[in-house]
C-alpha cells in the first residue's frame, strides 16, 4: 500500500498494524524540500514530522502497535466522549 509520492519524496518504510480497533498503515517518507524532511502519515489521518530519521520508525511502529496503556487511554477517551 505505497502511496503516490511527489517527485521530491523518497519512500522510507511502511508499517501495518491497528489502532482504535481498525487496521492501520503508516507510510514513512523523506522529502528534502521540507524543513523537517522525515514524516510518517497514517491511513487514519494522523502524521508526524522529524528533522532527522531518529524517532520516525519508533513512533510509526508505536502508532500501529499501541501498548496496553495506549489502548486503555484510547478506550477511556472514546468512552468519555460518548458519555457527555
Amino acid at each position: 500500500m505505497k502511496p503516490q509520492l511527489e517527485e521530491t519524496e523518497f519512500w522510507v518504510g511502511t508499517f501495518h498494524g491497528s489502532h482504535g480497533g481498525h487496521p492501520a498503515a503508516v507510510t514513512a517518507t523523506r522529502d528534502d524540500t521540507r524543513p523537517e524532511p522525515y514524516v510518517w502519515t497514517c491511513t487514519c489521518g494522523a502524521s508526524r514530522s522529524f528533522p532527522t530519521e531518529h524517532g520516525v520508525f519508533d513512533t510509526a511502529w508505536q502508532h500501529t502497535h499501541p501498548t496496553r496503556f495506549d489502548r486503555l487511554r484510547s478506550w477511556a477517551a472514546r468512552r468519555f466522549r460518548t458519555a457527555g
Side-chain angles (χ1 to χ4, degrees), residues 2-39:
K2 193 169 156 186
Q4 200 66 351
L5 299 177
E6 297 292 325
E7 210 171 287
T8 58
E9 289 182 320
F10 300 95
W11 175 73
V12 178
T14 302
F15 303 86
H16 297 275
S18 66
H19 55 78
H22 302 287
V26 171
T27 302
T29 58
R30 187 185 90 218
D31 182 351
D32 293 332
T33 64
R34 297 171 48 101
E36 293 187 317
Y38 292 90
V39 63

Side-chain angles (χ1 to χ4, degrees), residues 1-3 11 13-29 39-48 56-57 59-66:
M1 175 196 236
K2 193 169 156 186
W11 175 73
T14 302
F15 303 86
H16 297 275
S18 66
H19 55 78
H22 302 287
V26 171
T27 302
T29 58
V39 63
W40 60 254
T41 306
C42 184
T43 53
C44 74
S47 66
R48 284 191 63 189
V56 172
F57 299 111
T59 59
W61 177 263
Q62 186 175 0
H63 186 74
T64 55
H65 298 84

